[in-house]
Amino acid sequence: MSVAIKLEDLSLGYGSDLAVSKVDASIDDGSLTAIIGPNGAGKSTLVKGIAGILTPVEGKISIFGERNECLAYLPQQSEIDRSFPICVSNLVAMGLWSQIGAFGALGKKDLARIAEALAAVGLTGFERRSIDTLSGGQFQRVLFARMLLQDANLILLDEPFSAIDLKTMADLIQIILGWHREGRTVAVVLHDHEMVKAHFPDTFMIASFLIRRLMS
């Protein structure tokens, strides 16, 4: 299996504070990988580095394969401002920016794709709802609908199941498993080890500035 992401002597951090230090590791193309470890071990920092949000302090992050150049990243809900006055359909439509541009007009096919994405996450009829009226689970479904429209081959999720109900969690896991069946590369920061054992074939564990690859 070919490599999708390679980390070489990678150190990441904020200012002079390193959160990840001297990491050498890789993620295979088409794999479904859980990134686990204790709080403060640098899981979120690592994913932000792969997503290009953080610049390495040292070392290198390489993303291989032309199809993997299309990347979708979902941060933790706590990092997203839900007070912004936008409705559900407009937020989901942001997933089409790479195809139509930030100011491109939505055509009939685009509107149909938005409706299909909302149906896929169980939110048909929520199109005009303001995002600040949604529950945590409903808002996470909206964010997954946006990612469906991004149609990325490399997908990075940071704690996507925090503070959501069990039904939403089960539905979103099925979407992630669907991405994996389609051959996309998916890496997910998680803390629920039972979920990892049940659904994730590959696991990275980060602890005390050390990353180790485990195979379940």
Side-chain angles (χ1 to χ4, degrees), residues 10 40 54 128 158 164 166 168 171 206:
L10 177 66
L54 288 178
R128 306 315 303 172
D158 191 358
I164 65 174
L166 293 177
T168 296
D171 290 345
I206 307 179

Side-chain angles (χ1 to χ4, degrees), residues 85-129:
I86 188 172
C87 69
V88 165
S89 61
N90 285 344
L91 178 56
V92 174
M94 290 180 181
L96 296 170
W97 276 10
S98 64
Q99 301 163 51
I100 65 174
F103 301 102
L106 295 172
K108 290 184 178 179
K109 289 184 178 180
D110 299 320
L111 294 174
R113 290 182 62 192
I114 292 170
E116 289 172 2
L118 286 170
V121 299
L123 288 182
T124 298
F126 280 70
E127 289 82 358
R128 306 315 303 172
R129 286 272 298 272

Side-chain angles (χ1 to χ4, degrees), residues 3-52:
V3 172
I5 303 167
K6 187 173 183 180
L7 314 176
E8 300 174 84
D9 198 31
L10 177 66
S11 295
L12 294 163
Y14 306 88
S16 60
D17 297 324
L18 289 183
V20 173
S21 181
K22 304 295 183 181
V23 172
D24 287 285
S26 64
I27 293 177
D28 289 335
D29 189 47
S31 62
L32 176 58
T33 302
I35 300 174
I36 62 174
N39 291 336
K43 302 184 297 297
S44 295
T45 301
L46 178 64
V47 173
K48 287 178 180 177
I50 297 171

Side-chain angles (χ1 to χ4, degrees), residues 172-194:
L172 297 185
I173 287 173
Q174 291 307 310
I175 291 176
I176 291 172
L177 295 176
W179 284 329
H180 179 49
R181 288 192 296 269
E182 292 167 355
R184 304 172 197 261
T185 304
V186 186
V188 187
V189 174
L190 293 169
H191 64 271
D192 186 335
H193 289 196
E194 292 304 314

Side-chain angles (χ1 to χ4, degrees), residues 55-74:
T55 301
V57 176
E58 292 180 345
K60 184 178 180 182
I61 301 171
S62 301
I63 296 177
F64 297 97
E66 184 175 339
R67 75 188 193 98
N68 287 327
E69 292 179 0
C70 180
L71 182 153
Y73 164 67
L74 181 63

